[in-house]
Amino acid sequence: MKITISAIKADIGAIAGHICPSPGVVNAVSEFVKKNAKNLLIDYYVGYCGDDIHILMTHQRGVGNKEIHGLAWEAFKAGTAVAKAEGLYGAGQDLLKDSFSGNVRGLGPGVAEMEIEERPAEPFLFFAADKTEPGAFNLPLYLAFADPMYSPGLMLSSTLAAGFSFTIMDVNYTEGDRVITLNAPEDLYDIAALLRDNHRFVIESIRSRKTGEIAVVCSTTRLHNIAGKYVGKDDPVMLVRVQSQFPATGEVVAPFEIAHYVAGDCRGSHNVPLMPVKRNSTIGYFDGPAMVQCLGFSVKDGKLIGPVDIFDHPYWDWVREKAAQKTSEIRRQGFSGPAMVGMEELEYGGIAERLHKLEEKFSVRK
Ligand code: F6R
Ligand code: MG
Ligand code: MG
């Protein structure tokens, strides 16, 4: 059976700053989806990661479908109405355009969706991150889909041996989708050369080279490219099919043990480790930590079984502690050097004005 899995997410307002949506907002979004799911969705799940609400939907209308995107857009609008009534902070902040034009891409919400021929058993993982950028998934995906040091299946399984093709997007380009497709393992060094730059080059999708099947889709929105100014980090979502012709669940989640440094936390302007957290986690330190959730599902004829909260396990408590320690180490040096992101990623305009004014006061000593 052919089904589409669509994950659409938006920050439409939060309690106490950019912390988490209120129960009223989550309820409004869920109720809207529930009421309007008939004849449209097979199944759905609503949750949140920090201040971002996500709607995970299964259906048979393919990717980029007007009705499916319209349902999510209207659900977020219903949630925004509650957020405004409750006086939540940043109510409707990711609904950057006034009207819906058939697809939420380019309007503010993040989207990751894939159409698949459902396997007899179809396990997949849904990742949602907050206080960070889409490039935060670059390293974990590289390690899971291209590096036998993390993903032993690449050398142990003859199915995985054919490798994977990576489609990478240049998210700085705003005239359209500027993409390149490279093959692992032959193009490993080229892939690495792009993926080292998390701000600009972002994995959009990964396919099995053996079967051509889609394995991964990530949201690649650049909110500031849409809004023309800083409106928060992009807080990506991602879908990853696992097992058999794809890496195992364990191979996909293993790289998150690194708690690698990404851009995020307070004002989206710092380099901090990505902390794996539990389902529906809230923000707790320095407008962070930059965090990621991983929900495991099985899907049969479009019906979702799950979620299993993958990072809700004693193993990940240790990783969380390590991530907190790494955070504390780099935060102690405040604004200095690598603790903050580079000028082009410092998305608040104030510092540019400040530096501009200082330019006039400089003199060149003769
Ligand atoms: C980071 C984030 C927060 C805000 C900060 C200031 O992605 O959302 O750190 O940048 O709380 O928010 P405003 O400018 O809305 O007062
Ligand atoms: Mg957010
Ligand atoms: Mg936000």
Side-chain angles (χ1 to χ4, degrees), residues 131 230 233 263-270 341 345-348:
K131 302 298 185 264
Y230 182 82
K233 275 272 174 271
D265 276 29
C266 202
R267 299 184 185 273
S269 300
H270 297 85
V341 295
E345 286 301 310
L346 273 184
E347 296 170 70
Y348 279 82

Side-chain angles (χ1 to χ4, degrees), residues 200-226:
R200 177 163 181 197
F201 297 109
V202 173
I203 295 173
E204 179 197 58
S205 60
I206 300 177
R207 284 182 181 270
S208 158
R209 291 174 70 198
K210 173 108 179 165
T211 66
E213 287 169 291
I214 189 83
V216 175
V217 285
C218 306
S219 63
T220 50
T221 339
R222 277 288 256 182
L223 290 174
H224 82 268
N225 288 348
I226 304 169

Side-chain angles (χ1 to χ4, degrees), residues 1-8 37 39-44 56-69 71 113-116 118 299 301-303:
M1 177 173 165
K2 227 178 200 158
I3 61 154
T4 307
I5 309 172
S6 300
I8 305 186
N39 302 326
L40 213 51
L41 303 184
I42 303 173
D43 209 350
Y44 69 92
L56 180 70
M57 299 171 277
T58 57
H59 56 93
Q60 288 199 290
R61 300 201 172 213
V63 301
N65 179 267
K66 187 175 176 183
E67 279 75 33
I68 300 296
H69 283 227
L71 172 64
E113 51 185 351
M114 51 165 69
E115 186 175 39
I116 60 169
E118 217 185 62
V299 56
D301 300 331
K303 273 273 171 215

Side-chain angles (χ1 to χ4, degrees), residues 9 11 18 49-52 93-94 129-132 233-235:
K9 66 107 223 170
D11 176 350
H18 297 273
C49 181
D51 57 9
D52 293 270
Q93 74 157 51
D94 282 359
D130 190 32
K131 302 298 185 264
T132 188
K233 275 272 174 271
D234 300 299
D235 306 338

Side-chain angles (χ1 to χ4, degrees), residues 210-276:
K210 173 108 179 165
T211 66
E213 287 169 291
I214 189 83
V216 175
V217 285
C218 306
S219 63
T220 50
T221 339
R222 277 288 256 182
L223 290 174
H224 82 268
N225 288 348
I226 304 169
K229 60 178 188 329
Y230 182 82
V231 284
K233 275 272 174 271
D234 300 299
D235 306 338
V237 286
M238 146 168 108
L239 297 168
V240 184
R241 296 170 82 189
V242 289
Q243 304 296 144
S244 189
Q245 65 269 54
F246 305 117
T249 303
E251 289 163 336
V252 173
V253 301
F256 288 93
E257 186 263 349
I258 301 168
H260 66 300
Y261 286 102
V262 296
D265 276 29
C266 202
R267 299 184 185 273
S269 300
H270 297 85
N271 286 319
V272 288
L274 184 65
M275 182 185 280

Side-chain angles (χ1 to χ4, degrees), residues 90-106:
Q93 74 157 51
D94 282 359
L95 308 186
L96 298 173
K97 305 275 157 113
D98 294 332
S99 58
F100 178 69
S101 55
N103 191 311
V104 295
R105 270 180 212 282

